[in-house]
Amino acid sequence: MAGAQARQRGGNADEVSVTTEHGVRIEVDGEIATITLDRPEKRNAQTFATWSALARIGESLPEQVRVVVVKGEGPSFSAGIDLRMFTPEGVPGQGSFSSAAKSDDVTFEQRMRQAQAGFLWLRRPEIVSIAAVQGHAIGAGFQLALSCDLRIVADDVSFCMKEPALGLVPDLTGTKPLVELVGLAKAIDICLTARTVHADEAMRIGLAEKVVAGGDLDQAVRDKVAQLLAVNRDAAIATKRLLQGAQGRSLEEQCAAERLEQAARIKSLFT
Ligand code: CAA
């Protein structure tokens, strides 16, 4: 892995592995993977390298992992895209929006697709992803939190979809989960005003599953992880598949999907 540092803890290679690449740390401890955006001095601002690192984590996630926690080091979950992208110089080695504007359509499409790959895998049925969000989650930061299945937040959280205020659209896979979570009208309100959503509103409109005091965030996440790991793994995967497909199916189709999944479960459990 380019630019990566890897180390093992506990003397046993199977116990805990920690790898860092481009300011993204991944720690795998048995069935739990914890991804930490680790550039607190820049409020975990994200670059194309961040998204490539996230995508690579998704590609190489060990099969035993059932829960993925995504968090940010320091006072903010993430201040969104690195603002150097808006400057002519851009981010060293990664270009700028000015250079991206000059690329041909195919190259541009490919680059955006690669960026989105860093976010998309967090929805896989084989895992449950939890965003542990404190402080600011702006733009790409908000969208990263939206990529996760669940959001547990600190009481100082402030979500903001700032892209439209900067002349951009949210394009890091966040628009669909936002609409699904809060409804179209509220999503339009949040995005087209680029206003801040604080903890109480986030809880009320379904953006957050739980709000806790900042100092209790890690414990609240640990508790949720323990609850998730307590259920049968294969049943969890099949149930997530069913739930994810529900909105796109008619009731009749959904009932058929339930029958199919249950038949597989019962055969696996009782034969
Ligand atoms: N990019 C690069 N650097 C950033 C950054 C960002 N998005 N956000 C903060 N930083 C840097 C600051 O420049 C500062 O660096 P120095 O110490 O070297 O001066 C450091 O992080 C600390 O920042 P603050 O002093 O501002 O920290 P704060 O805690 O007082 O405020 C904040 C935090 C409210 C997040 C504020 O930093 C801020 O508003 N940041 C910009 C947010 C933003 O506009 N992001 C773009 C979102 S749009 C998007 O993400 C688009 C997309 O996906 C396509």
Side-chain angles (χ1 to χ4, degrees):
M1 193 183 277
Q5 307 164 340
R7 66 191 164 89
Q8 309 290 339
R9 283 205 314 229
N12 178 349
D14 293 334
E15 262 184 36
V16 181
S17 77
V18 184
T19 309
T20 302
E21 184 191 5
H22 296 299
V24 182
R25 191 167 74 242
I26 166 88
E27 176 176 317
V28 177
D29 185 357
E31 296 177 307
I32 307 161
T34 304
I35 297 172
T36 308
L37 302 182
D38 195 12
R39 213 155 65 100
E41 71 287 357
K42 297 293 177 191
R43 301 299 181 263
N44 302 318
Q46 302 174 33
T47 65
F48 277 95
T50 313
W51 304 327
S52 302
L54 287 172
R56 273 191 288 276
I57 290 170
E59 283 159 17
S60 58
L61 197 71
E63 217 172 286
Q64 83 268 11
V65 171
R66 294 185 57 186
V67 179
V68 176
V69 177
V70 181
K71 57 196 278 196
E73 198 65 61
S76 296
F77 177 74
S78 172
I81 197 165
D82 194 311
L83 292 176
R84 288 176 299 172
M85 282 298 290
F86 291 86
T87 66
E89 303 77 34
V91 179
Q94 299 183 51
S96 64
F97 282 131
S98 311
S99 57
K102 294 187 191 95
S103 58
D104 61 82
D105 289 353
V106 174
T107 309
F108 192 84
E109 153 80 15
Q110 271 172 355
R111 198 142 192 242
M112 288 315 308
R113 201 181 274 273
Q114 280 164 5
Q116 290 173 335
F119 295 67
L120 275 176
W121 67 270
L122 289 159
R123 283 100 165 168
R124 273 185 208 154
E126 293 76 20
I127 56 167
V128 179
S129 49
I130 305 172
V133 190
Q134 82 288 1
H136 294 95
I138 305 177
F142 190 2
Q143 294 192 70
L144 183 58
L146 284 166
S147 306
C148 293
D149 296 311
L150 307 174
R151 281 147 296 281
I152 298 179
V153 306
D155 52 10
D156 70 344
V157 78
S158 57
F159 291 110
C160 172
M161 200 67 90
K162 197 163 175 190
E163 285 84 343
L166 298 170
L168 300 171
V169 299
D171 65 340
L172 294 166
T173 79
T175 53
K176 188 169 168 65
L178 183 64
V179 171
E180 287 171 354
L181 286 167
V182 307
L184 179 59
K186 190 62 81 183
I188 288 174
D189 171 32
I190 290 169
C191 293
L192 273 62
T193 63
R195 70 178 177 83
T196 296
V197 178
H198 296 286
D200 51 350
E201 185 185 4
M203 188 69 203
R204 200 172 61 246
I205 66 177
L207 264 183
E209 273 60 49
K210 189 170 183 143
V211 179
V212 296
D216 297 335
L217 186 58
D218 286 347
Q219 187 57 49
V221 171
R222 277 196 294 274
D223 292 346
K224 184 56 66 187
V225 170
Q227 286 177 345
L228 289 164
L229 292 180
V231 307
N232 177 287
R233 178 178 196 170
D234 293 329
I237 294 171
T239 304
K240 185 170 167 187
R241 259 197 312 258
L242 275 175
L243 296 172
Q244 285 182 316
Q247 277 189 327
R249 296 193 196 105
S250 67
L251 180 58
E252 200 178 319
E253 289 163 343
Q254 184 69 3
C255 288
E258 289 177 0
R259 291 195 297 273
L260 211 62
E261 293 283 14
Q262 194 70 308
R265 294 302 318 129
I266 287 170
K267 276 182 191 142
S268 141
L269 287 172
F270 300 104
T271 55

